[in-house]
Each structure stands twice: as C-alpha cells, then as structure tokens.
C-alpha cells in the first residue's frame, strides 16, 4: 500500500469515527438536552441564591428585575 493510500485510509477511519460519534450523540440527543437543561437550572438557582444573599440586592434591584429573577427561580424549582 502506498503512502498516499495509507494517508487516505487513516483519514477515512477518522471521518468514519467522527460520524459514529456524532450519530451516537444524535441518538442520545434528548438525554443530552435533559442533562444540559438540568445543569443550567442548577447553575441559575445557585447564582440567584447567591444574589439574594448579597445585602445590596434588595435595595438596588428594581421591582422588574426582582420579578424576572423570581420567575426564573420559580421555574428552576418546578
């Protein structure tokens, strides 16, 4: 087998491997989305809780900001 054929063979194997990996991710897409959604919810909840612990939050946040933040917090806890 020539050097060029070996190079093409290695490239083909890599492409095939990439397709298999992407296909596996596609087959598990709903599970992956659930995992990402849960991570984002936990991060948002943690950050909101930290914000609420800040003594200046209550005095500096507008009513509109507080409503939005409360809405997000309620959503991640449902």
């Amino acid at each position: 087998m020539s050097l060029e054929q070996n190079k093409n063979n290695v490239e083909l194997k890599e492409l095939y491997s990439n397709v298999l990996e992407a296909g596996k991710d596609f087959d598990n897409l709903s599970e992956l989305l659930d995992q990402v959604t849960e991570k984002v919810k936990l991060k948002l909840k943690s950050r909101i809780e930290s914000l609420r612990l800040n003594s200046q939050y209550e005095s500096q946040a507008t009513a509109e900001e507080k409503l939005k933040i409360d809405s997000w917090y309620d959503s991640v806890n449902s």
Side-chain angles (χ1 to χ4, degrees):
M1 190 177 283
S2 73
L3 219 47
E4 187 65 29
Q5 286 174 323
N6 279 339
K7 178 182 169 191
N8 288 340
N9 194 25
V10 169
E11 185 177 316
L12 178 62
K13 285 181 180 178
E14 184 177 330
L15 291 170
Y16 182 69
S17 176
N18 288 343
V19 168
L20 290 177
E21 182 181 341
K24 181 182 173 191
D25 289 344
F26 181 77
D27 288 344
N28 295 322
L29 193 55
S30 63
E31 182 181 325
L32 293 171
L33 287 173
D34 289 345
Q35 290 172 3
V36 169
T37 299
E38 191 59 32
K39 286 179 183 179
V40 169
K41 282 182 172 182
L42 290 173
K43 184 185 286 187
L44 179 58
K45 180 179 178 180
S46 173
R47 290 181 179 184
I48 290 172
E49 289 171 347
S50 294
L51 176 66
R52 287 177 172 172
L53 290 175
N54 186 295
S55 60
Q56 296 178 357
Y57 168 68
E58 284 298 322
S59 63
Q60 293 188 7
T62 66
E64 184 178 300
E65 290 169 335
K66 288 178 186 177
L67 282 174
K68 186 65 174 171
I69 291 168
D70 289 345
S71 170
W72 287 333
Y73 192 78
D74 292 343
S75 291
V76 298
N77 283 314
S78 59

